[in-house]
Amino acid sequence: MGTTPSRRLALAAVTVALVATGTAAPAQARPSTPSRMAVAISRPATHPPTTWATPLRTYTRSAVMDPAVAEVVRLVNLARADAGCRAVRVDARLATAARLHSEDMARQNYFSHTSLDGRTPWDRMRTQGYTNGSGENIAAGYGTPAAVMAGWMNSSGHRANILNCSSAAIGVGIGKGGSYGTYWTQDFGYS
């Protein structure tokens, strides 16, 4: 009691090939660590449109923002201000894409930028009507906004997405359940 298990970060260099060929890791293939952070990915220079055989669901929620989501956005904007970047605004389309991805990872018990049905972050953003995404960060197992932000800021790839001064918009999503308990997604956009 009184000790916190160490957090494990799964990090590597980001390449466009990761976006194109990344696969979702099934829950049983992952190490049983208390938290996990994926490689941050940034938008590739070009991304061909994808057509899906079945329509994808879109949802909207009330304008009231989850307090944990609001705190992540606040912490992102503090970090950006310290780096000389303008604040990002919350975009409902990015927020919906991020929330649905976090909920999907929790519900289906996986951890990946690529959904089990093959959708990439850019596909999920486009489904919500946002066509100018700049990056995505995901993490799992962190219990508070401060903890997940500390993890992201201590990872060069995730930090680069947060401090990309060209980004103007953000969406944050949280999903509960699965092996890690809490799944976090940040989607960033240029417009």
Side-chain angles (χ1 to χ4, degrees):
M1 286 194 146
T3 61
T4 303
S6 63
R7 305 233 183 262
R8 180 161 185 246
L9 304 178
L11 305 172
V14 179
T15 64
V16 175
L18 175 64
V19 176
T21 63
T23 57
Q28 57 272 33
R30 287 178 306 197
S32 58
T33 58
S35 63
R36 187 171 173 118
M37 187 162 299
V39 173
I41 62 172
S42 299
R43 183 174 178 93
T46 59
H47 190 270
T50 304
T51 304
W52 300 99
T54 40
L56 300 175
R57 299 178 302 172
T58 60
Y59 297 95
T60 57
R61 281 196 176 171
S62 70
V64 177
M65 190 182 306
D66 179 303
V69 167
E71 179 63 2
V72 170
V73 173
R74 187 185 76 80
L75 293 170
V76 164
N77 282 327
L78 284 175
R80 289 174 63 84
D82 287 345
C85 298
R86 68 179 182 222
V88 287
R89 63 176 173 70
V90 174
D91 183 285
R93 298 164 298 177
L94 291 175
T96 300
R99 180 179 49 78
L100 290 175
H101 186 53
S102 290
E103 290 173 352
D104 187 54
M105 288 189 293
R107 185 176 43 259
Q108 296 197 61
N109 203 26
Y110 72 98
F111 183 74
S112 176
H113 287 286
T114 304
S115 301
L116 293 179
D117 62 7
R119 289 176 297 138
T120 68
W122 326 120
D123 297 325
R124 292 188 299 272
M125 290 179 213
R126 238 185 342 268
T127 297
Q128 299 308 320
Y130 195 91
T131 59
N132 207 10
S134 60
E136 178 176 83
N137 290 341
I138 62 173
Y142 292 87
T144 66
V148 74
M149 278 298 295
W152 279 328
M153 291 303 288
N154 287 320
S155 158
S156 62
H158 297 93
R159 181 182 183 89
N161 277 345
I162 292 167
L163 301 182
N164 178 349
C165 290
S166 296
S167 292
I170 190 172
V172 177
I174 302 170
K176 300 286 187 174
S179 301
Y180 292 105
T182 306
Y183 294 75
W184 304 82
T185 303
Q186 290 178 321
D187 284 333
F188 295 92
Y190 289 120
S191 56

